[in-house]
Amino acid sequence: MAQTSSLKSEPLVAGGESAEAKAVAGVIAAGRASAARHWVPATSGNFSVRINARTIAITRSGVDKGNLLASDILIQPLGEKLLPGSSAEAELHTALYSERPELGAIFHVHSPAATVLSRLALAEGSLRLTGWELQKALVGVRTHEATVDVPVFANDQDISALSGRVLARLAQPAGDAIAAPGYLLAGHGVYAWGATESDAARHLEALETLFAFELSYRRFTP
Ligand SMILES: [Zn+2]
C-alpha cells in the first residue's frame, strides 16, 4: 500500500479530520498547555503524538512551545533517519514508540519540580512515590498506599547512548512497585507518556505535581 505524508490523502478519522492533522493539533495543544504552566522555558521541551504504527508528529528544534504552528511539527517516520531540523532529543521519542506500540503520545518538559528533584534522586537511580492521593492519576495505580517507581537517569548529551540506557531500564520489572508512565533526567526534566494524548497530559501534570509535593515534603523530613 502506498504511503504518503500528504494531509489531503491521509485517511480520515472520526470527525472528518486526517490522523496526521489530528496528531499535529495534539502536539500544538500539548505545547501550549505546558508553556502556560511555565514547564518549557526558553524553547525547551519536546512533544510528540503517534499518527499510526510507522509515523509520529513531533516538534522541531528551537521553537517556542507556547506558539507552535503546524509548520513547527515534523512528520517523522519511525526507524528512519531523523529529519532535518529535528530536536537533539527526538531519538528518545522515536526509540520508545518503536519499542512500545501501545504508546500514543510522549511529552517532555523542563518543569521546575522535575528538574530539581531529579538531581536529589539521582544517587538512588529512582524516585519512589507513595502516600499521595494524586498518584491514582497514573495508569495502574489504585491507591495512595501503592509505591510508584520513577527511573532517574544521569543527563547525557549523547542521546543514542542515553536512549539505550532508558530502553534497557524500562524493560526491567519495577519489583514491588508500579512503573510510572515516565522517567526523570537529572537536572534536565521529565518524560511522560500515555496511550492517548489526554493520558500523556494527565500523567505529565500528575507527575510534575507529585514531584512538587515530594520536594516540599523533603524539606520537612530528614
Ligand atoms: Zn530536554
Side-chain angles (χ1 to χ4, degrees):
M1 192 166 65
Q3 204 178 331
T4 173
S5 62
S6 159
L7 279 174
K8 290 193 180 69
S9 53
E10 279 280 317
L12 297 181
V13 294
E17 208 177 10
S18 78
E20 184 176 304
K22 187 171 175 291
V24 168
V27 169
I28 291 172
R32 190 172 297 151
S34 289
R37 292 173 168 84
H38 305 285
W39 292 346
V40 284
T43 78
S44 62
N46 35 68
F47 300 84
S48 64
V49 172
R50 185 190 288 277
I51 298 169
N52 54 41
R54 305 170 310 277
T55 320
I56 61 166
I58 183 167
T59 44
R60 70 165 66 246
S61 175
V63 289
D64 179 354
K65 306 306 184 299
N67 287 302
L68 290 170
L69 304 171
S71 56
D72 296 324
I73 317 301
L74 300 170
I75 307 304
Q76 173 70 52
L78 298 174
E80 293 184 20
K81 204 161 149 276
L82 293 178
L83 297 168
S86 290
S87 158
E89 293 178 48
E91 191 178 339
L92 291 172
H93 293 246
T94 56
L96 198 53
Y97 281 114
S98 296
E99 193 75 12
R100 295 194 170 189
E102 76 278 13
L103 292 196
I106 302 174
F107 300 154
H108 164 58
V109 298
H110 295 191
S111 45
T115 304
V116 176
L117 185 60
S118 56
R119 292 186 70 170
L120 297 175
L122 177 61
E124 290 99 67
S126 80
L127 174 71
R128 293 277 171 123
L129 297 167
T130 190
W132 305 109
E133 178 69 11
L134 185 61
Q135 64 196 42
K136 287 161 59 184
L138 305 174
V139 66
V141 182
R142 297 183 190 285
T143 165
H144 66 282
E145 292 173 326
T147 299
V148 178
D149 181 76
V150 187
V152 185
F153 301 92
N155 198 21
D156 196 333
Q157 303 302 324
D158 182 342
I159 298 300
S160 289
L162 178 57
S163 179
R165 285 198 294 279
V166 168
L167 292 186
R169 170 74 184 272
L170 295 182
Q172 293 172 12
D176 56 352
I178 297 169
Y183 62 86
L184 287 161
L185 295 179
H188 179 158
V190 57
Y191 274 79
W193 53 77
T196 65
E197 294 145 54
S198 60
D199 286 344
R202 188 184 72 252
H203 289 157
L204 181 62
E205 184 168 26
L207 285 171
E208 174 63 11
T209 307
L210 287 162
F211 298 154
F213 291 167
E214 190 71 23
L215 203 51
S216 176
Y217 187 68
R218 287 186 181 202
R219 289 196 185 109
F220 300 101
T221 50

